[in-house]
């Protein structure tokens, strides 16, 4: 779908060769990435979407990405009206591996887990208070607090065992459920860049020496810190990563890792 709607440029790749060391493969990956970013600027577009060949867009990708740009990045809804979002951001990652999206993986994910547990426990405690304790006035309000606490622990453990990634998939029902969160160092199957920031990114990458375990996505994360900017990820994912063979490590990886 994307190839029919956007120009495509190819560069000779040698990452699959087993006779090249890891440092050389990482360096070649960086060179190819910089080449693609620099070439993309020749189209004078506002944004650049860089997609690896083993990433495929989800249904409704364009509409959902446009919704996020208009309502989460370029402007935001505050006190009943839209205002311009002046915060500088370096890039928006459109894919994040499900196994890495678990609640303990990031402080923001932990906050989401706490919110889910508190919301569910609050509903249970409210039902008990409304339909049972009010009919039995002799019961102490302490029972309501006890149910709230036990419910919080129960739903917290249950949501952790179910997995954050399965809660995220519920948001795929509507564009309005899509949102962005602070990004992490992993991963870059599909990334959206503001064109204006690309020269700063490419200059930083060219000055960076990549080595194991320091690939391009780690270097991009360090650029965000260096430039004092923000990076974001979408959730749910707007792209799926279907890669089975790692050209950097010259090996086959388990599909559940992506």
């Amino acid at each position: 779908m994307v190839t029919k709607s956007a120009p495509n440029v190819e560069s000779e790749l040698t990452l699959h060769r087993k006779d090249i060391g890891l440092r050389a493969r990482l360096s070649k990956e960086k060179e190819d990435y910089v080449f693609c970013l620099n070439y993309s600027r020749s189209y004078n577009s506002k944004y650049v979407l860089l997609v690896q060949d083993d990433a495929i867009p989800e249904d409704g990708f364009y509409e959902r990405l446009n919704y996020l740009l208009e309502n989460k990045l370029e402007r935001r809804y505050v006190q009943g009206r839209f205002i311009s979002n002046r915060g500088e951001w370096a890039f928006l990652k459109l894919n994040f591996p499900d196994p890495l999206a678990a609640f303990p993986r990031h402080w923001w994910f932990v906050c989401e887990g706490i919110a889910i547990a508190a919301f569910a426990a609050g509903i249970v405690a409210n039902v008990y208070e409304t339909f049972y304790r009010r009919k039995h006035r002799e019961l102490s309000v302490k029972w309501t607090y006890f149910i709230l606490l036990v419910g919080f622990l129960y739903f917290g453990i249950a949501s952790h065992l179910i997995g954050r990634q399965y809660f995220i998939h519920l948001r795929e029902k509507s564009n309005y459920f899509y949102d962005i969160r602070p990004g992490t160092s992993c991963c870059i199957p599909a990334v959206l860049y503001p064109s204006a920031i690309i020269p700063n990114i490419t200059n930083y990458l060219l000055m960076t020496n990549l080595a194991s375990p320091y690939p391009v996505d780690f270097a991009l994360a360090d650029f965000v810190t260096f430039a004092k900017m923000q990076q974001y990820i979408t959730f749910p994912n707007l792209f799926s990563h279907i890669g089975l063979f790692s050209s950097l490590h010259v090996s086959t990886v388990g599909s559940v890792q992506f």
Side-chain angles (χ1 to χ4, degrees), residues 107-128:
W107 67 268
W108 191 268
F109 301 165
V110 173
C111 293
E112 291 179 352
I114 293 174
I116 291 174
F119 179 75
I123 291 177
V124 173
N126 187 63
V127 170
Y128 167 79

Side-chain angles (χ1 to χ4, degrees), residues 57-75:
E58 301 289 348
D59 292 339
F61 152 70
Y62 287 113
E63 294 79 6
R64 289 165 177 170
L65 179 58
N66 186 62
Y67 169 78
L68 291 174
L69 286 173
E70 291 185 348
N71 299 279
K72 303 296 181 179
L73 290 170
E74 294 178 349
R75 59 179 186 170

Side-chain angles (χ1 to χ4, degrees), residues 5 38 44 55 60 83 88 90 97 103 110 132 146 187-188 198 203 207 209 223 241 245:
S5 306
N38 283 331
N44 297 318
I83 63 172
E88 287 191 305
F103 288 114
V110 173
Y132 189 80
F146 176 76
C187 300
I188 54 173
I198 287 179
N203 289 337
M207 293 187 299
N209 294 321
F223 166 78
H241 191 197
F245 180 82

Side-chain angles (χ1 to χ4, degrees), residues 70 73-78 81-87:
E70 291 185 348
L73 290 170
E74 294 178 349
R75 59 179 186 170
R76 53 196 174 94
Y77 196 70
V78 178
R81 62 189 181 91
F82 282 105
I83 63 172
S84 176
N85 189 3
R86 298 182 179 179

Side-chain angles (χ1 to χ4, degrees), residues 1-173:
M1 179 176 66
V2 174
T3 57
K4 295 180 180 180
S5 306
N8 293 274
V9 180
E10 295 183 359
S11 175
E12 181 182 358
L13 300 176
T14 59
L15 291 177
H16 64 281
R17 291 176 50 187
K18 295 185 178 182
D19 60 326
I20 297 180
L22 178 57
R23 182 183 292 272
R25 291 197 295 272
L26 289 170
S27 178
K28 185 63 169 66
E29 181 196 30
K30 179 186 71 173
E31 293 174 4
D32 292 333
Y33 210 83
V34 170
F35 167 80
C36 292
L37 285 174
N38 283 331
Y39 194 94
S40 64
R41 295 189 66 241
S42 64
Y43 296 102
N44 297 318
S45 59
K46 186 175 182 179
Y47 297 105
V48 167
L49 175 60
L50 204 57
V51 182
Q52 296 179 354
D53 58 0
D54 55 356
I56 56 175
E58 301 289 348
D59 292 339
F61 152 70
Y62 287 113
E63 294 79 6
R64 289 165 177 170
L65 179 58
N66 186 62
Y67 169 78
L68 291 174
L69 286 173
E70 291 185 348
N71 299 279
K72 303 296 181 179
L73 290 170
E74 294 178 349
R75 59 179 186 170
R76 53 196 174 94
Y77 196 70
V78 178
Q79 296 180 350
R81 62 189 181 91
F82 282 105
I83 63 172
S84 176
N85 189 3
R86 298 182 179 179
E88 287 191 305
W89 55 282
F91 45 82
L92 173 66
K93 295 180 178 181
L94 307 182
N95 170 274
F96 192 72
D98 279 351
L100 300 182
F103 288 114
R105 300 288 303 194
H106 193 273
W107 67 268
W108 191 268
F109 301 165
V110 173
C111 293
E112 291 179 352
I114 293 174
I116 291 174
F119 179 75
I123 291 177
V124 173
N126 187 63
V127 170
Y128 167 79
E129 179 73 17
T130 303
F131 296 100
Y132 189 80
R133 201 184 76 83
R134 289 185 180 179
K135 296 179 180 180
H136 301 80
R137 297 292 183 178
E138 70 278 6
L139 295 176
S140 172
V141 71
K142 292 181 179 179
W143 281 105
T144 303
Y145 294 129
F146 176 76
I147 291 175
L148 183 63
L149 176 60
V150 172
F152 177 79
L153 294 176
Y154 173 81
F155 288 111
I157 295 173
S159 61
H160 173 70
L161 293 177
I162 293 172
R164 176 178 176 271
Q165 55 269 38
Y166 296 102
F167 287 101
I168 292 177
H169 289 316
L170 296 175
R171 289 177 169 263
E172 296 174 353
K173 302 301 181 182

